[in-house]
Amino acid sequence: MRKISLFLLIIIAISMLAACAQPAVPDVVEPVVEEPVVEEPVVEEPVVEEPVVEEPVVEEPAEEVVENLSGYDDAKDEWLRVNQLGPYDTGEQDWDAIEAAAKAEGLLLVYANSSKTPSAAEAFMELYPEIEVQAFDLGGDDVTLKTREEQKAGAFTGDVWHSSGGPVLKGEFVPNGYVWKFVPDTVADDIPDYFQDPILVARLGSQTWAYNSELNDTCPITNIWELTEPQWHSKIFIEDPLNDASTLGKLMTFVYHADEMAESYKEFYGTDPVLDDDTPDAGWLWFKRLAQNNPIPQPGGDEVNNAFATPGMTENYLAFGSYGKYPAVLDGDLAFELCWDLEPVAGVATQSYIGILNQARHPNAAKLWIKFITTLEGSKPWYKMGTYLPNPTYDPPKDSLPFDIVIGSTWPFDDGFVWDNIIQARDFYLINLGR
Amino acid sequence: MSTYSLAEAQDSLWLARLRRFFRWLTTPYVFLSLIMVVVMFYLVIIPLWSMFVTTITVSELDLRVIPEASLGDMTSYHWRRMLIGQIAKIMTYEPLVNSLVISLGATFLALIMGGGMAWLVVRTDIPGKEIIHMLATVPYIMPSWTISLAWKVIFKSTSVSGGVPGLLQFFTGIAPPIWLSNGALPIIIACGLHYYTFYFLFVSAALLSIDSSLEEAGDLAGASRGRILRKITFPLVLPAIASGFIMTFSKTMGTFGGPNVLGVPVGYYTLSTMLRSNMGIGNYGDGFVTAIVLILFSMTTVMINQKLIGTRRSYETIGGRGFMAQKMKLRGWRPVFIVLIVIVQFSIAILPLAVLIYSTFMLRSGNYSLSNFTLHHWIGQSDLSINQGDPGILLNKAIYRAAWNSIRLSLWASFIGGVIGVILGYAIVKGRGTRLSKIVEQLAFIPYLIPGIAFGAVYISMFTKSFFGLPPLYGTFALLVVVSVAKHIPHSSRTGVSSMMQVGSELEEAAAISGANAWQRFKRIIFPLTSPGFVSAFLLNFITTMRELSLIILLVTPATAVLSSMTMRYIENGNEQQANAVIIVLIVLVLIGNAIISRFRGGSLKKGLESSK
């Protein structure tokens, strides 16, 4: 008896709770689903008829004001129209009005993946003391996660996306209208179009193949296929592509350029690439052979640098290194050079993006922030050796190689290809690793 | 009899049943259990359920790999892939075996270390107890990778980590074999040393409340010291050991730091590494399958644990008799144990801490020469050539705000957690053997197994809307408290259970006979006797909440940022020294908190306290 009543009670309790709780777990489906709260009209017939009468009334103002160009729900469309974003973006801005409105908003929340963002925020606040900037350095993965959850739940909190995460932007956030492109008219003509897709590029970095400069005079390899040769088996350090999606994406960018990889293959081996069953083109073949050559993964970028470029080493290694760390070489803390002359390219250029989060509460402050970041002054915290701005009219940072050399000897990180193939590529790498 | 109609008989039968039901319902442990079931249903089951739903639903991200499906369809894709697909062996089974090896190894090591040290501190005349007690909590406060890093400095192998040789190779000229430098063994040692705090706290709380006359009786009866330990002390602390086992085991199952530093270079991956890999590329379906596999395996361990302990359930050691705590004299063994403890504590608490502190005075990391000494990371003014222009942390206003948030959050979370822990302990122990008690115990354990980052992600979607009468909590400080309490319910309940198990029910029965109501019994008997457990739970929650990062990183807003999220900010751009400085501030705050909280033990078990001093 006791057991039965206990069970009954628990079942009743759980089902009651479940009933209350269900709406709190949001559907994975798009926001359109919120409509089906149609239970009431079935009971009260007249209510069903009313909308028929009302409908023309609704249509009229719609014709008068503006039609829904975005195809999103009314609140979102209204927000876009008021702030001239998405389909309502004219490409021109009235900066006086934006500044006034931004000051009235008084607050700005920036979701960033760089610890330098707060420094930029301070400079911004000196310029516009009326606006308090809360620059929120979350780290790339968490910017993505937070944005996705906030947008799906309709809890619009952040204002600015100031982070990497190109693949997600390209594949998910921009198509779904979670993040909106905004290009200030002050720089729109100077920044090449390919740095405005899917949203505006805030800055560029690069990741290139590198060697220990104490043990070698020049780069010991000249062709990218040499990385797959037995002499470099277990002799290449990379940041673990399993843990670091961005390293995986950079390696995938080589895969994407299959034709160029095939040409380099021919140049090095003298024949056309011999493809395997699981490698549709030379790009995947290279990726497979690289994995089989067992590059040694390291937990982070600093570990990679220490592993192949600590001064005083005796063993020779290669690594997938970063030009951004080159100041440490000038200081004598590390000893490496980058293989700028590698065939077909030395490495991959990476982009960090800036845009306005959908239905941000402080859209004008966000616009002002983006305009500020596109100026030399606003990007000052990042403006160091190895980092480039998408605006070629600005000189590169002190001591840096010219923009054209770095951009010219790298392939741009391909957001779309990486988004589409990252899961297969990760599995493929894992299956072939060291085997 | 004929005057009674059948209906009346049924009526009275129902009435009797109803009355019995209400009596059952108003039994304190039943009532409390039911409340706890409801609370945990919301805090635990719903998040878990939505994780499961994610694994069987086609998400936008899945459309890339299952193009023929449409959004929201049900799919077995993730489960098939992770359990029987081509990738299953590498992504699920090998990591699972690795995780189990590491967890069992680390748990065993932690048991010996923590249990042994607790016994030495509580039951023997070893000197310096307060220092030992304080240092024992240090490894747990430090980030989990500090011991791994220290290991790497000494046993580094250049063939997997490149660079210059480690200290061992530097001094002896012998390259350490790879099994010693990376992989299972070093991870086991690093995790075992890191998590021994659980055993130490639990076992010492249990030992404190054991009547040492039991051991003396054994002594009088002529049993040898080893036999007393084996036959009397060990069975009495078994519940605490079981709790420690669960905590250490599942914590190691979910740990990321050690395997990352020591396992990644040799491709030694664990379930937690794979989970993070999948979360990192936005593959939540696969990631949550891994998480659920992890949860199921740990659940199995709990059930085995319950079977073992549940059959011998009467370990009521605080009886209605008076007791005295007699310390064992170590005599000739004393110097041996002192040396042993000094070595252990030096290498796992003081050395890493010293390295951590020293690193905050180095202008450039890795350069130990005196010319590199600086106070910049602490009190430097903003200088663009160092730390990207960040001022020293003591001049940074954000640090003070974060510190205050950390303290506030930890106190709230550990207070509520401690109270829930005592209630859970009471409900589980008094109902032990009933199905309700088992359900409550199982539920209470689950949050531990849900990876922090997943917990945080689920909580965002739960609390962005009005939830069960609560206003939308997203972005508020209260949500941080709620999620911290929920995630740490296992801490609270385990300590609650292990201390409650020792309170004899005759005490409560006696009080009930003298007319004390449930609240009076709780206030006057149960709570005072279990307060070391409450303090332990409070302390553990306090420490854990102070350093928790992945759980709350998604829920904090700039206004509610805490110290641990500040360390993250510094680490991200290689600003390691300032991150370490923030960690030191954290450790100092925890130590202060520890010292203050420990004082509250004085109120109840005076004799027990004396033996810990």
Side-chain angles (χ1 to χ4, degrees), chain A residues 1-3 5-7 9-10 13-14 16-18 20-21 23-26 28-30 34 109 111 113-116 118-119 132 134-142 144-146 148-150 152-153 155 157 171-172 176 178 234 237 240-243 245 248 296-299 302-303 306-308 310-315 317 325 331 333 380-381 384 418-424 426-428 430-431 433 435, chain B residues 14 17 20-21 24-25 29 34 37-38 41-42 46 50 53 57-61 64-65 71-72 77 81 86-87 89-91 94 149 152 156 158-164 256 260-261 264-267 269 273-274 276-284 286 364 367 384 388-390 401 435-436 439 453 457 460-462 464-468 474 553-559 561 565 568-570 572-574 576:
Chain A
M1 175 59 213
R2 175 179 283 197
K3 274 183 186 165
S5 53
L6 169 69
F7 264 103
L9 194 81
I10 288 177
I14 287 179
M16 273 166 61
L17 297 178
C20 307
V25 187
V28 197
V29 196
E30 278 189 76
E34 278 173 27
L109 266 70
Y111 287 175
N113 72 336
S114 161
S115 68
K116 298 174 191 178
S119 323
E132 188 199 343
Q134 298 187 341
F136 205 8
D137 176 18
L138 288 161
D141 287 349
D142 293 337
T144 306
L145 204 49
K146 208 172 164 79
R148 181 184 291 123
E149 293 296 339
E150 282 180 6
K152 278 205 317 207
T157 310
E172 185 186 0
N176 284 348
Y178 291 174
S234 301
F237 287 112
D240 189 10
L242 254 62
N243 280 325
L248 184 61
I296 304 177
Q298 293 292 319
D302 288 342
E303 281 89 346
N306 291 332
F308 89 105
T310 304
M313 282 173 61
T314 52
E315 279 177 86
Y317 296 98
K325 292 286 172 193
D331 289 340
D333 292 333
K380 201 169 157 195
K384 297 229 179 73
V418 170
W419 169 258
D420 289 337
N421 296 289
I422 192 162
I423 293 172
Q424 292 96 313
R426 200 266 318 259
D427 291 358
F428 185 75
L430 204 54
I431 288 168
L433 185 62
R435 286 162 222 255
Chain B
W14 272 108
R17 280 176 183 175
R20 214 182 312 155
F21 175 71
W24 175 80
L25 194 67
Y29 84 82
L34 289 177
V37 167
V38 173
F41 184 81
Y42 271 95
I46 293 178
S50 73
V53 168
T57 311
V58 174
S59 74
E60 191 142 1
L61 305 121
R64 289 176 289 178
V65 277
L71 211 60
Y77 167 79
R81 185 179 132 75
Q86 191 194 11
I87 201 77
K89 182 166 163 275
I90 309 174
M91 210 129 90
E94 283 177 6
L149 283 184
K152 197 176 150 192
K156 179 180 177 184
T158 51
S159 59
V160 290
S161 298
V164 287
F256 179 76
N260 192 35
V261 173
V264 161
V266 288
Y269 293 109
T273 333
M274 285 300 167
R276 210 177 113 129
S277 173
N278 278 314
M279 299 294 272
I281 59 175
N283 192 356
Y284 301 111
D286 287 356
R364 298 197 187 288
N367 180 350
L384 264 182
Q388 289 91 39
D390 282 339
R401 193 170 56 183
R435 197 166 271 126
L436 186 62
I439 291 173
I453 192 92
I460 289 189
S461 41
M462 274 168 71
T464 38
K465 292 170 187 161
S466 182
F467 181 70
F468 189 41
Y474 180 68
I553 186 74
L554 292 177
L555 302 172
V556 291
T557 58
S565 63
M568 167 101 171
R569 191 196 127 190
Y570 286 124
E572 278 251 322
N573 259 31
E576 200 183 298

Side-chain angles (χ1 to χ4, degrees), chain A residues 84-105:
Chain A
Q84 300 193 332
L85 289 169
Y88 306 103
D89 190 350
T90 56
E92 285 169 13
Q93 292 97 29
D94 176 359
W95 285 106
D96 291 337
I98 289 174
E99 195 177 319
K103 285 176 180 168
E105 286 164 3

Side-chain angles (χ1 to χ4, degrees), chain B residues 469-545:
Chain B
L470 292 170
L473 286 178
Y474 180 68
T476 66
F477 183 75
L479 181 57
L480 296 185
V481 176
V482 170
V483 77
S484 299
V485 168
K487 185 69 170 65
H488 301 141
I489 281 178
H491 283 157
S492 322
S493 90
R494 295 314 304 181
T495 34
V497 166
S498 58
S499 52
M500 195 68 69
M501 267 182 130
Q502 295 158 341
V503 180
S505 56
E506 78 266 22
L507 295 176
E508 219 192 333
E509 283 155 12
I513 292 166
S514 342
N517 64 28
W519 171 242
Q520 282 171 325
R521 297 200 300 265
F522 183 80
K523 202 177 77 177
R524 305 290 291 277
I525 297 170
I526 307 292
F527 192 75
L529 286 177
T530 54
S531 66
F534 176 79
V535 173
S536 298
F538 191 97
L539 197 58
L540 214 49
N541 280 336
F542 183 79
I543 299 174
T544 319
T545 314

